[in-house]
Amino acid sequence: AAIFGFASAADLIGEKTRIIYPSEDIWKADGALRYAELAEHGASDGEILLRRHDGSPIWIHRTGRPVDPRCPNEGSIWVFSDISAMK
């Protein structure tokens, strides 16, 4: 939560990840791509420009893995790193 400028993780409960994407279209396209990678390769890794709670841009490197590799639809775990300074 802190990386995106939210006061606590509680601010994100019940929210979709859409709130950190610059647009609905980018959210949908990126989600389709990332979850296809999880299903096919068991992992996803890459960089993307997202946005903080205040609307400012933030470059993120993220790595994702399915909770259950045999069933990627059961959910996934993602690690996000702020790489804005490197960009």
Side-chain angles (χ1 to χ4, degrees), residues 3 7-8 48 59 64 77:
I3 194 170
S8 74
I48 189 169
W59 275 100
I77 303 291

Side-chain angles (χ1 to χ4, degrees), residues 17-29:
T17 56
R18 164 62 184 99
I19 63 173
I20 60 171
Y21 281 81
S23 74
E24 182 91 10
D25 290 340
I26 293 171
W27 176 62
K28 287 179 179 178

Side-chain angles (χ1 to χ4, degrees), residues 2 4 6 9 12 20 23 27 30-31 37 39-40 50-51 54-55 58 61 63 74 78 81 87:
F4 291 104
F6 291 91
L12 299 171
I20 60 171
S23 74
W27 176 62
D30 188 60
E37 287 179 352
E40 186 174 340
L50 297 176
R51 66 177 184 166
D54 66 5
I58 180 172
H61 178 268
T63 302
E74 292 297 315
W78 294 85
S81 300
K87 289 292 199 174

Side-chain angles (χ1 to χ4, degrees), residues 7-83:
S8 74
D11 294 334
L12 299 171
I13 293 173
E15 295 290 339
K16 293 183 177 190
T17 56
R18 164 62 184 99
I19 63 173
I20 60 171
Y21 281 81
S23 74
E24 182 91 10
D25 290 340
I26 293 171
W27 176 62
K28 287 179 179 178
D30 188 60
L33 177 63
R34 297 301 154 209
Y35 286 100
E37 287 179 352
L38 288 178
E40 186 174 340
H41 305 291
S44 179
D45 187 73
E47 298 176 359
I48 189 169
L49 183 62
L50 297 176
R51 66 177 184 166
R52 292 182 176 94
H53 183 54
D54 66 5
S56 63
I58 180 172
W59 275 100
I60 295 292
H61 178 268
R62 76 243 165 126
T63 302
R65 302 277 187 278
V67 173
D68 182 349
R70 296 167 303 207
C71 189
N73 293 336
E74 292 297 315
S76 54
I77 303 291
W78 294 85
V79 175
F80 288 70
S81 300
D82 180 354
I83 59 168

